[in-house]
Amino acid sequence: MCGIFAALGCADCSQAQRARVLACSRRLKHRGPDWSGLYQHEGNFLAQQRLAVVSPLSGDQPLYNEDRSVVVVANGEIYNHRKIRKQFTGKHTFTTGSDCEVIIPLYEEYGENFVDMLDGVFAFVLYDARNNTYMAARDAIGVNPLYIGWGGDGSVWFSSEMKALNEDCVRFELFPPGHLYSSATAGFRRWYNPRWFLEQVPDTPYDPLVLRAAFEKAVIKRLMTDVPFGVLLSGGLDSSLVASVTKRHLVETEAAEKFGTELHSFVVGLEGSPDLKAAREVADYLGTIHHEFYFTVQDGIDAIEEVIYHDETYDVTTIRASTPMFLMARKIKSLGVKMVLSGEGSDELLGGYLYFHFAPNKEEFHKETCRKVKALHQYDCLRANKATSAWGLEVRVPFLDKEFIDVAMGMDPEWKMYDKDLGRIEKWVMRKAFDDEENPYLPKHILYRQKEQFSDGVGYSWIDGLKAFTEQQITDEMMSNAAKLYPYNTPVNKEAYYYRMIFERLFPQDSARETVPWGPSIACSTPAAIEWVEQWKASNDPSGRFISSHDAAAATTTDHAAAGVAHANGNGVAAVANGHAAVNGAVNGAEVGVAIAA
């Protein structure tokens, strides 16, 4: 993943302003350590920090048309770039091998109405010097981050991360996914308009072969690379399927010609964590070159401030899940790997979180999946992108392929729902699609392994250790004054308070705190889904292990019922999550990592 920065319509076009733009852009250098570039035309500046993954020898940015009147900086992977290049044979002279260069001829041919022709993930800014106009756009789901800000002189700024905007803009905010911004109208418009966005319940029957084919296609197209790569593998369903499909089809790709057919896999966890054991088993089955990385609770605690700086959030579950991923990304990059595939998005698309077991009907189930997918850019996409980009590592997420999303969100949700009588557990449609007796993708017990949230799968004591640590750092008196000190998105417990203190020190602006979502959650639900079960309203811990459907929680519940014991939540109040599962708790409304531990 690269880092892009732009300041357009600045009143000041002096060398001092150019130096300031360069300084802001350099705050993104971790995202793109391989090269940097800057374009200036009067008071318009476009800069990029490059991570070279496709065409590393010829794809430096900014990118230009033939007479250099149209300029682009982009952070993205355009998987259909070769098809688009053929479309412009004889019409446009391509000067680099960059997949993002196709943005320029598309703009020249179709104006601003071309974004939906791009198959991939992206955030880009395009400037047209011929008429002094510009546009910016972000991919459908928001896999790649982008922020927009406004200067006091009326200028408009764009950046991959808000740390390059927060000191210079009077106001800034998240650039919404699936939208483009046009200087012609000085506003946004949505370019991504799928049928599921209206939240109307679809009725297309489930076809396991169609679902399987769509996912395999999504994985294969993401093997477009000119650098060494691997897969994140936790041993859960999602990451294991990504690894299995990658291993099965790698031999057919150009990547295999360059780097061979051996596949590297990576996992992180505390000693003895569930993920380490499961990942090793899957790696042995698939025959990957497997790398296990270990961390301690203290290692994670020591990294918290860096994680908050890079993630730009105070959302509790995002920080919990980002920290092991952040530590692992550094290790992966040290091995010379610049790109990995991961499994984010499956639980949102398919209702894989354990609380979906309690959806009252298929209509509510489907609406919740829609809400979850729409919010991915604030949670799992943000975590996966920023926690790895901190070390110049790119993550690709095949579950969030546009075509796969259409298939997954277009099927009758009745098929996705948990049904004990029919033997359907969460994500049954995906498990069934890859349950191939003749040519198995995975061992049965892995294919039907129950979900772990990433922050739980790396080791349960990671969360417990965080709670114990923050309990020591934040006094009861501090908590009693939380609403006065933080009236916006007030922390509800000591863990949240601790993260908020760090965030406010790093990003003290009102605009910064307003980019972070907040609200009640259980097992990563949206606030709306808490209405499904009355007792959930008393809980404030989003961990999936506190839903009674989880094996460990069910066992704990039995023990505690016999002893007449209930755990206390983050506020010291005994709480029950769903009528019979004990809750122990902390936190706000967030969503946590799916991919490397799903």
Side-chain angles (χ1 to χ4, degrees):
M1 292 296 172
C2 305
I4 63 170
F5 179 84
L8 298 148
C10 297
D12 182 0
C13 56
S14 66
Q15 178 62 33
Q17 178 69 355
R18 182 182 176 94
R20 182 59 191 164
V21 168
L22 282 168
C24 291
S25 176
R26 288 188 187 113
R27 294 183 184 179
L28 307 175
K29 189 178 288 186
H30 55 277
R31 297 184 62 88
D34 296 335
W35 190 250
S36 60
L38 172 65
Y39 165 87
Q40 179 184 359
H41 178 255
E42 299 176 345
N44 302 289
F45 303 85
L46 284 81
Q48 197 230 27
Q49 302 289 335
R50 187 184 184 206
L51 179 68
V53 175
V54 173
S55 189
L57 297 179
S58 72
D60 293 341
Q61 296 191 31
L63 300 165
Y64 303 91
N65 67 345
E66 290 90 339
D67 64 5
R68 299 175 72 88
S69 61
V70 176
V71 191
V72 167
V73 287
N75 166 32
E77 299 294 338
I78 310 302
Y79 301 118
N80 62 338
H81 76 105
R82 289 181 176 175
K83 180 180 178 181
I84 296 172
R85 282 173 178 265
K86 290 180 181 178
Q87 177 185 339
F88 289 98
T89 300
K91 298 181 182 179
H92 177 87
T93 302
F94 290 93
T95 58
T96 77
S98 169
D99 49 299
C100 291
E101 189 177 353
V102 299
I103 292 169
I104 293 172
L106 285 171
Y107 168 77
E108 291 182 317
E109 182 77 13
Y110 301 104
E112 294 177 347
N113 301 314
F114 69 88
V115 183
D116 61 348
M117 301 176 190
L118 299 173
D119 180 10
V121 295
F122 51 81
F124 69 82
V125 180
L126 180 150
Y127 175 69
D128 190 336
R130 297 170 298 189
N131 50 26
N132 196 34
T133 60
Y134 58 87
M135 66 173 291
R138 189 177 182 189
D139 66 70
I141 303 299
V143 173
N144 287 9
L146 189 63
Y147 294 80
I148 182 172
W150 290 267
D153 58 356
S155 55
V156 180
W157 299 46
F158 302 92
S159 176
S160 295
E161 297 181 4
M162 70 179 180
K163 59 180 61 67
L165 301 178
N166 66 316
E167 293 181 1
D168 291 82
C169 292
V170 296
R171 178 171 64 90
F172 54 91
E173 62 188 41
L174 285 168
F175 192 108
H179 283 73
L180 67 83
Y181 180 91
S182 172
S183 65
T185 59
F188 293 100
R189 77 170 184 266
R190 170 169 284 283
W191 65 263
Y192 180 56
N193 296 288
R195 292 181 62 186
W196 64 266
F197 217 82
L198 299 175
E199 300 185 7
Q200 296 174 350
V201 180
D203 57 5
T204 303
Y206 166 58
D207 186 331
L209 295 182
V210 170
L211 189 66
R212 183 202 292 185
F215 183 68
E216 290 193 303
K217 182 178 179 182
V219 171
I220 292 167
K221 72 174 67 170
R222 281 159 178 78
L223 302 182
M224 178 185 80
T225 178
D226 293 321
V227 298
F229 74 100
V231 294
L232 303 184
L233 177 62
S234 71
L237 176 69
D238 305 333
S239 63
S240 297
L241 284 178
V242 171
S244 180
V245 173
T246 301
K247 180 67 174 176
R248 182 168 296 202
H249 293 283
L250 180 57
V251 68
E252 308 161 8
T253 67
E254 290 184 10
E257 298 176 10
K258 301 168 187 172
F259 308 111
T261 57
E262 295 285 3
L263 179 63
H264 289 259
S265 57
F266 308 95
V267 67
V268 65
L270 303 177
E271 290 277 3
S273 67
D275 284 354
L276 292 177
K277 179 181 177 181
R280 168 60 65 183
E281 186 175 5
V282 175
D284 288 345
Y285 179 82
L286 298 177
T288 67
I289 301 173
H290 192 57
H291 307 267
E292 293 180 351
F293 302 126
Y294 306 93
F295 77 105
T296 66
V297 172
Q298 189 61 55
D299 291 334
I301 289 171
D302 291 342
I304 290 291
E305 183 160 339
E306 281 187 286
V307 169
I308 292 173
Y309 173 75
H310 283 288
D311 274 12
E312 302 177 323
T313 187
Y314 48 85
D315 174 70
V316 174
T317 50
T318 299
I319 295 167
R320 286 177 173 183
S322 290
T323 303
M325 197 172 196
F326 172 84
L327 296 172
M328 176 173 58
R330 186 177 192 181
K331 289 280 193 178
I332 294 172
K333 188 62 184 292
S334 73
L335 297 177
V337 172
K338 296 176 74 171
M339 184 272 282
V340 290
L341 274 68
S342 187
E344 276 76 9
S346 171
D347 287 308
E348 286 76 12
L349 292 167
L350 303 174
Y353 291 111
L354 298 176
Y355 75 89
F356 274 96
H357 290 197
F358 299 90
N361 51 57
K362 71 177 185 180
E363 289 77 16
E364 282 299 313
F365 186 104
H366 181 68
K367 288 178 181 178
E368 178 70 357
T369 60
C370 293
R371 291 189 291 261
K372 293 286 289 179
V373 175
K374 290 176 183 178
L376 267 168
H377 68 287
Q378 294 180 293
Y379 297 105
D380 286 18
C381 290
L382 178 150
R383 168 188 53 76
N385 184 285
K386 291 183 179 180
T388 54
S389 292
W391 303 108
L393 178 69
E394 177 175 305
V395 168
R396 296 183 180 177
V397 285
F399 279 106
L400 296 179
D401 179 83
K402 276 198 302 181
E403 293 180 30
F404 181 78
I405 291 173
D406 287 343
V407 173
M409 295 297 284
M411 77 172 71
D412 187 336
E414 187 77 40
W415 291 92
K416 299 180 186 179
M417 295 183 71
Y418 172 81
D419 191 323
K420 184 177 181 180
D421 293 336
L422 295 176
R424 296 179 187 171
I425 63 173
E426 66 277 355
K427 292 182 287 193
W428 176 85
V429 291
M430 202 70 184
R431 302 176 198 271
K432 182 65 175 176
F434 284 89
D435 193 350
D436 189 329
E437 296 285 352
E438 295 184 3
N439 192 13
Y441 287 79
L442 293 168
K444 287 273 191 181
H445 64 283
I446 293 292
L447 193 60
Y448 289 93
R449 180 193 180 201
Q450 189 176 49
K451 177 187 169 48
E452 294 277 3
Q453 292 188 141
F454 179 50
S455 51
D456 286 340
V458 297
Y460 293 138
S461 58
W462 165 232
I463 304 303
D464 298 335
L466 281 176
K467 291 179 183 179
F469 170 75
T470 55
E471 183 71 28
Q472 295 172 349
Q473 303 303 308
I474 307 301
T475 66
D476 293 341
E477 182 179 3
M478 294 166 74
M479 279 303 303
S480 67
N481 290 310
K484 295 178 182 178
L485 189 59
Y486 305 118
Y488 184 85
N489 288 351
T490 303
V492 298
N493 54 65
K494 292 182 178 181
E495 187 182 4
Y497 192 110
Y498 181 77
Y499 300 156
R500 184 65 174 274
M501 279 197 315
I502 296 173
F503 180 90
E504 292 285 342
R505 176 160 43 82
L506 296 171
F507 306 105
Q509 299 81 9
D510 287 344
S511 291
R513 66 181 65 95
E514 291 169 3
T515 64
V516 181
W518 201 252
S521 176
I522 184 72
C524 294
S525 73
T526 68
I530 289 184
E531 299 298 319
W532 293 351
V533 177
E534 181 65 29
Q535 291 90 340
W536 286 356
K537 300 174 186 178
S539 170
N540 70 340
D541 192 322
S543 176
R545 59 179 155 144
F546 299 115
I547 288 286
S548 64
S549 299
H550 196 295
D551 296 336
T556 302
T557 300
T558 302
D559 295 342
H560 288 180
V565 175
H567 287 293
N569 66 17
N571 297 316
V573 180
V576 179
N578 52 33
H580 56 276
V583 173
N584 137 340
V587 262
N588 62 9
E591 315 177 21
V592 74
V594 182
I596 52 186

Coordinates of all heavy atoms in Angstrom, one line a residue, residues 313-341:
T313 N -7.1 5.6 15.7 CA -8.4 5.2 16.3 C -8.3 5.0 17.8 O -7.2 4.8 18.3 CB -9.0 3.9 15.7 OG1 -10.4 3.8 16.2 CG2 -8.2 2.7 16.1
Y314 N -9.4 5.2 18.6 CA -9.4 4.8 20.0 C -10.4 3.7 20.2 O -10.8 3.4 21.3 CB -9.7 6.0 20.9 CG -10.9 6.9 20.5 CD1 -12.2 6.5 20.9 CD2 -10.6 8.0 19.7 CE1 -13.2 7.4 20.5 CE2 -11.7 8.8 19.4 CZ -13.0 8.5 19.7 OH -14.0 9.3 19.4
D315 N -10.9 3.1 19.1 CA -11.9 2.0 19.2 C -11.2 0.8 19.9 O -10.1 0.3 19.4 CB -12.4 1.6 17.8 CG -13.2 0.4 17.8 OD1 -14.3 0.5 18.4 OD2 -12.8 -0.6 17.3
V316 N -11.8 0.3 20.9 CA -11.1 -0.7 21.7 C -10.8 -2.0 21.0 O -9.7 -2.5 21.0 CB -11.9 -1.0 23.0 CG1 -11.3 -2.1 23.8 CG2 -12.0 0.3 23.9
T317 N -11.8 -2.6 20.3 CA -11.5 -3.9 19.7 C -10.6 -3.8 18.5 O -9.9 -4.7 18.2 CB -12.8 -4.6 19.3 OG1 -13.6 -3.7 18.5 CG2 -13.6 -5.1 20.5
T318 N -10.6 -2.6 17.8 CA -9.7 -2.4 16.8 C -8.2 -2.4 17.3 O -7.3 -3.0 16.7 CB -10.0 -1.1 16.0 OG1 -11.3 -1.2 15.5 CG2 -9.0 -0.9 14.9
I319 N -8.0 -1.8 18.4 CA -6.7 -1.7 19.0 C -6.3 -3.1 19.5 O -5.2 -3.5 19.3 CB -6.7 -0.7 20.1 CG1 -6.9 0.7 19.5 CG2 -5.3 -0.7 20.9 CD1 -7.2 1.8 20.6
R320 N -7.2 -3.8 20.1 CA -6.9 -5.1 20.6 C -6.4 -6.0 19.5 O -5.5 -6.8 19.6 CB -8.2 -5.8 21.2 CG -8.6 -5.3 22.6 CD -9.9 -6.0 22.9 NE -10.4 -5.6 24.3 CZ -11.4 -6.2 24.8 NH1 -12.2 -7.1 24.1 NH2 -11.8 -5.9 26.1
A321 N -7.1 -6.0 18.4 CA -6.8 -6.9 17.3 C -5.6 -6.4 16.4 O -4.9 -7.2 15.8 CB -8.0 -7.1 16.4
S322 N -5.5 -5.1 16.4 CA -4.4 -4.5 15.6 C -3.0 -4.8 16.2 O -2.0 -4.9 15.4 CB -4.6 -3.0 15.5 OG -5.6 -2.6 14.7
T323 N -2.9 -4.8 17.5 CA -1.6 -4.9 18.1 C -0.8 -6.2 17.7 O 0.3 -6.1 17.3 CB -1.7 -4.8 19.6 OG1 -2.4 -3.6 19.9 CG2 -0.4 -4.8 20.3
P324 N -1.4 -7.4 17.8 CA -0.6 -8.6 17.3 C -0.4 -8.5 15.8 O 0.7 -8.9 15.4 CB -1.6 -9.7 17.6 CG -2.6 -9.2 18.5 CD -2.7 -7.8 18.4
M325 N -1.3 -7.9 15.1 CA -1.1 -7.8 13.6 C 0.0 -6.9 13.3 O 0.9 -7.1 12.4 CB -2.4 -7.4 13.0 CG -2.5 -7.6 11.5 SD -4.1 -7.2 10.8 CE -4.0 -8.0 9.2
F326 N 0.1 -5.8 14.0 CA 1.2 -4.8 13.9 C 2.5 -5.4 14.2 O 3.5 -5.2 13.4 CB 0.9 -3.6 14.9 CG 2.0 -2.6 15.0 CD1 2.1 -1.6 14.1 CD2 2.9 -2.7 16.1 CE1 3.0 -0.6 14.3 CE2 3.9 -1.7 16.2 CZ 4.0 -0.7 15.3
L327 N 2.6 -6.2 15.3 CA 3.9 -6.9 15.6 C 4.3 -7.9 14.5 O 5.4 -8.0 14.2 CB 3.7 -7.5 17.0 CG 3.5 -6.6 18.2 CD1 3.2 -7.4 19.4 CD2 4.7 -5.7 18.4
M328 N 3.3 -8.6 14.0 CA 3.5 -9.7 13.0 C 4.0 -9.0 11.7 O 4.9 -9.5 11.0 CB 2.3 -10.5 12.8 CG 2.5 -11.5 11.7 SD 1.1 -12.7 11.5 CE -0.3 -11.5 11.2
A329 N 3.4 -7.9 11.3 CA 3.7 -7.3 10.1 C 5.2 -6.9 10.0 O 5.9 -7.0 9.0 CB 2.9 -6.0 9.9
R330 N 5.7 -6.4 11.1 CA 7.2 -6.1 11.2 C 8.0 -7.3 10.9 O 9.0 -7.2 10.2 CB 7.5 -5.4 12.5 CG 8.9 -4.9 12.6 CD 9.2 -4.2 13.9 NE 10.4 -3.5 13.9 CZ 10.9 -2.8 14.9 NH1 10.2 -2.7 16.1 NH2 12.1 -2.1 14.8
K331 N 7.7 -8.4 11.5 CA 8.4 -9.6 11.3 C 8.4 -10.1 9.8 O 9.4 -10.5 9.2 CB 7.9 -10.7 12.2 CG 8.2 -10.5 13.7 CD 9.6 -11.0 14.0 CE 9.9 -11.1 15.5 NZ 11.2 -11.6 15.8
I332 N 7.2 -10.0 9.3 CA 7.0 -10.5 7.9 C 7.8 -9.6 6.9 O 8.5 -10.1 6.0 CB 5.5 -10.4 7.5 CG1 4.7 -11.4 8.3 CG2 5.3 -10.6 6.0 CD1 3.2 -11.3 8.1
K333 N 7.8 -8.3 7.1 CA 8.6 -7.4 6.3 C 10.0 -7.7 6.4 O 10.8 -7.6 5.4 CB 8.2 -6.0 6.6 CG 8.9 -4.9 5.6 CD 8.3 -5.1 4.2 CE 9.0 -4.2 3.2 NZ 8.6 -2.8 3.5
S334 N 10.5 -8.1 7.6 CA 11.9 -8.3 7.8 C 12.4 -9.5 7.0 O 13.6 -9.7 6.7 CB 12.2 -8.5 9.2 OG 11.7 -9.8 9.7
L335 N 11.4 -10.4 6.5 CA 11.8 -11.6 5.7 C 11.8 -11.3 4.2 O 12.1 -12.2 3.4 CB 10.8 -12.7 6.0 CG 10.7 -13.2 7.5 CD1 9.6 -14.3 7.6 CD2 12.1 -13.8 7.9
G336 N 11.6 -10.0 3.9 CA 11.6 -9.6 2.5 C 10.3 -9.8 1.8 O 10.2 -9.6 0.5
V337 N 9.2 -10.0 2.5 CA 7.9 -10.2 1.9 C 7.2 -8.8 2.0 O 7.2 -8.1 3.0 CB 7.0 -11.2 2.7 CG1 5.6 -11.2 2.2 CG2 7.6 -12.6 2.6
K338 N 6.6 -8.4 0.8 CA 5.9 -7.1 0.7 C 4.4 -7.1 0.6 O 3.8 -6.1 0.6 CB 6.5 -6.3 -0.4 CG 8.0 -6.0 -0.3 CD 8.6 -5.3 -1.5 CE 8.2 -3.8 -1.6 NZ 8.9 -3.1 -2.7
M339 N 3.9 -8.3 0.4 CA 2.4 -8.4 0.2 C 1.9 -9.7 0.8 O 2.6 -10.8 0.7 CB 2.1 -8.3 -1.3 CG 0.6 -8.3 -1.6 SD -0.1 -10.0 -1.8 CE 0.4 -10.4 -3.5
V340 N 0.8 -9.7 1.4 CA 0.1 -10.9 1.9 C -1.4 -10.9 1.6 O -2.0 -9.8 1.5 CB 0.3 -11.0 3.5 CG1 1.8 -11.3 3.8 CG2 -0.1 -9.8 4.2
L341 N -1.9 -12.0 1.5 CA -3.4 -12.2 1.4 C -4.0 -12.5 2.8 O -3.4 -13.2 3.6 CB -3.7 -13.3 0.4 CG -3.8 -12.9 -1.1 CD1 -2.4 -12.6 -1.6 CD2 -4.4 -14.1 -1.9

